[in-house]
Amino acid sequence: MRLLQHARGNRSSSDVGLGSYSVADARESLGAELAAYVALCVDSRTPLPSQDVRREYADDALYRGRLRRAMLADLDLWAAARDKRARERIEYQEARVPPPDEFYMPPSVEAALAARSEARRKEAEERRKSGGRGGATAFALAKQAQREAEADSPPIPDGDPLADTTPSTATR
């Protein structure tokens, strides 16, 4: 992690106390998906989950799990980076300059983005079917209950003094 973070800042591995380890070694050790997430966070200046340097070797598996959960939770970050890279590639092609590399998005993130997109599509479809009254359901149910209660109450007989609730102006 430290090596990949420092490499994105163009520092040598000796600066972080990792001696002769290379960026390729760090990527291989972390795996392509997590290495891509680290690079994305460093490039976008998004904080990574913290880790106690004194316990980094003992807590390695725990940290990798925390990092994986963060990677799958930062879907907006991934989508923004993907869209930015797509715009960059179009601009480079229009300028007839070799475009930057394709944006690597881990398959698990692609699946999570697709699932989120599908859930949003279904939610929008449900709102459309309900006439755009997505949040009005509780209000509509309360109004329905009020109408039913009024329908069940007996009518007020004619001539009852309670029937006319408007104040009389003659007594004032």
Side-chain angles (χ1 to χ4, degrees), residues 49-80:
S50 62
Q51 181 181 27
D52 184 357
V53 176
R54 295 169 298 189
R55 301 220 9 108
E56 68 183 359
Y57 295 109
D59 293 342
D60 185 59
L62 293 172
Y63 185 72
R64 286 173 189 258
R66 191 176 321 134
L67 194 60
R68 182 164 301 285
R69 284 187 299 279
M71 176 186 74
L72 293 173
D74 282 344
L75 295 180
D76 291 334
L77 180 65
W78 284 104

Side-chain angles (χ1 to χ4, degrees), residues 26-66:
R27 281 192 188 120
E28 183 180 335
S29 172
L30 202 54
E33 290 188 357
L34 295 180
Y37 179 62
V38 169
L40 177 65
C41 287
V42 171
D43 290 348
S44 66
R45 299 181 192 271
T46 300
L48 285 157
S50 62
Q51 181 181 27
D52 184 357
V53 176
R54 295 169 298 189
R55 301 220 9 108
E56 68 183 359
Y57 295 109
D59 293 342
D60 185 59
L62 293 172
Y63 185 72
R64 286 173 189 258
R66 191 176 321 134

Side-chain angles (χ1 to χ4, degrees), residues 66-172:
R66 191 176 321 134
L67 194 60
R68 182 164 301 285
R69 284 187 299 279
M71 176 186 74
L72 293 173
D74 282 344
L75 295 180
D76 291 334
L77 180 65
W78 284 104
R82 176 194 58 201
D83 295 346
K84 179 183 175 192
R85 181 58 64 93
R87 286 190 306 272
E88 287 174 349
R89 290 182 64 78
I90 290 170
E91 290 170 356
Y92 277 67
Q93 288 173 349
E94 288 173 349
R96 292 188 172 92
V97 177
D101 294 336
E102 282 288 329
F103 181 70
Y104 173 73
M105 186 176 295
S108 57
V109 173
E110 285 180 12
L113 280 170
R116 182 177 77 167
S117 177
E118 180 65 19
R120 286 181 176 175
R121 185 193 64 75
K122 285 182 180 179
E123 183 180 298
E125 186 176 315
E126 288 299 319
R127 271 196 312 271
R128 185 181 49 77
K129 285 181 181 177
S130 69
R133 297 180 313 249
T137 306
F139 180 74
L141 290 175
K143 283 300 234 182
Q144 175 77 16
Q146 182 181 2
R147 282 192 296 264
E148 289 173 1
E150 289 172 355
D152 291 341
S153 64
I156 298 174
D158 288 338
D160 189 337
L162 297 177
D164 186 14
T165 59
T166 58
S168 173
T169 57
T171 59
R172 289 191 186 175

Side-chain angles (χ1 to χ4, degrees), residues 14-32:
S14 61
D15 292 344
V16 291
L18 296 175
S20 63
Y21 287 106
S22 69
V23 172
D25 294 335
R27 281 192 188 120
E28 183 180 335
S29 172
L30 202 54

